[in-house]
Amino acid sequence: EPEVTQTPSHQVTQMGQEVILRCVPISNHLYFYWYRQILGQKVEFLVSFYNNEISEKSEIFDDQFSVERPDGSNFTLKIRSTKLEDSAMYFCASSEPKTGMNTEAFFGQGTRLTVV
Amino acid sequence: EDQVTQSPEALRLQEGESSSLNCSYTVSGLRGLFWYRQDPGKGPEFLFTLYSAGEEKEKERLKATLTKKESFLHITAPKPEDSATYLCAVQAGNQAGTALIFGKGTTLSVSS
């Protein structure tokens, strides 16, 4: 069964360092997303990506964040200068369009980012 | 502001003891309501999509229903392996691929 894969599963980084989280969405999906979940809190939307550009972003997704689809399979989230409050589980998700209907998003297993 | 509220926050059941989880939502223009299951340290696992009031979906011991203001996830004769956090999310707006707004979830514990 196709699935969204994320690497690494756990990343520890020092405050102020740059990190790149990687994702391989399901191959025939066209919409890609990043969400995050701070420990004990709800899943929060960061950004969506379609047709090689950002289609929607939340207030959390400020200038420190960027996304890229460097090739035909990978989707990345970069945090330029990490802060302690960036510590969270980051989930990548993907979905496919169905004309006139919503589409369910399928999530990866997440990358646990710890900023020290 | 679009909002999703789930209740209860936690629910303990004995194996075989049926119950329901509630998801109340406020959204301008509901495109879809989604139920996910999340195990500790894992990503949300898709369960159901509901599009319009009156719609019902079933999968094994789970049944999801939708009204204009809330959704229920009914669990019939649960087993210990049903223990997880169940997340409700809504999608609003008029475009495909828009953000999901999640509730905090209901953590279900089923003991044998």
Side-chain angles (χ1 to χ4, degrees):
Chain A
E1 185 176 323
E3 61 181 13
V4 176
T5 57
Q6 291 185 240
T7 55
S9 57
H10 192 185
Q11 172 105 38
V12 181
T13 188
Q14 289 203 329
M15 193 169 49
Q17 294 296 304
E18 175 185 286
V19 293
I20 298 176
L21 310 184
R22 292 182 165 80
C23 168
V24 179
I26 295 173
S27 61
N28 63 346
H29 284 186
L30 299 178
Y31 289 90
F32 314 120
Y33 314 84
W34 285 101
Y35 288 80
R36 80 173 185 188
Q37 187 175 32
I38 295 171
L39 189 63
Q41 297 187 23
K42 62 173 69 175
V43 177
E44 301 174 290
F45 170 75
L46 294 178
V47 66
S48 60
F49 194 85
Y50 171 71
N51 200 25
N52 287 318
E53 62 182 20
I54 291 174
S55 58
E56 186 182 3
K57 62 182 181 179
S58 72
E59 292 178 352
I60 302 169
F61 194 87
D62 61 21
D63 292 343
Q64 293 297 313
F65 292 88
S66 62
V67 289
E68 194 178 35
R69 187 152 164 83
D71 53 43
S73 59
N74 291 284
F75 181 50
T76 63
L77 174 70
K78 181 193 288 186
I79 308 175
R80 260 183 216 93
S81 179
T82 50
K83 304 170 190 170
L84 293 176
E85 53 264 38
D86 293 327
S87 296
M89 191 76 137
Y90 288 80
F91 295 111
C92 175
S94 67
S95 67
E96 59 179 338
K98 293 180 182 178
T99 303
M101 294 186 70
N102 297 319
T103 64
E104 52 268 14
F106 293 88
F107 286 75
Q109 292 302 292
T111 293
R112 181 168 298 284
L113 177 65
T114 303
V115 182
V116 296
Chain B
E1 182 183 344
D2 300 335
Q3 280 191 332
V4 176
T5 303
Q6 293 188 245
S7 62
E9 288 187 14
L11 181 63
R12 290 182 177 274
L13 298 175
Q14 291 289 317
E15 185 172 4
E17 181 186 1
S18 302
S19 188
S20 296
L21 282 54
N22 177 262
C23 171
S24 298
Y25 63 90
T26 304
V27 65
S28 52
L30 178 72
R31 286 183 56 81
L33 184 141
F34 304 83
W35 283 99
Y36 287 86
R37 169 189 170 128
Q38 187 177 30
D39 292 304
K42 304 293 184 182
E45 175 189 344
F46 171 73
L47 294 174
F48 302 109
T49 309
L50 300 167
Y51 296 111
S52 57
E55 190 174 359
E56 299 182 352
K57 294 272 180 74
E58 280 189 73
K59 180 180 178 181
E60 296 181 351
R61 296 177 292 282
L62 300 177
K63 178 180 176 181
T65 62
L66 181 65
T67 72
K68 288 187 178 180
K69 293 183 179 180
E70 57 190 351
S71 176
F72 291 93
L73 184 65
H74 307 277
I75 303 176
T76 302
K79 298 182 178 182
E81 53 262 42
D82 294 322
S83 298
T85 296
Y86 290 86
L87 304 176
C88 174
V90 297
Q91 187 182 42
N94 55 10
Q95 292 184 353
T98 53
L100 295 179
I101 301 164
F102 281 85
K104 290 185 177 180
T106 293
T107 299
L108 173 67
S109 299
V110 182
S111 54
S112 57

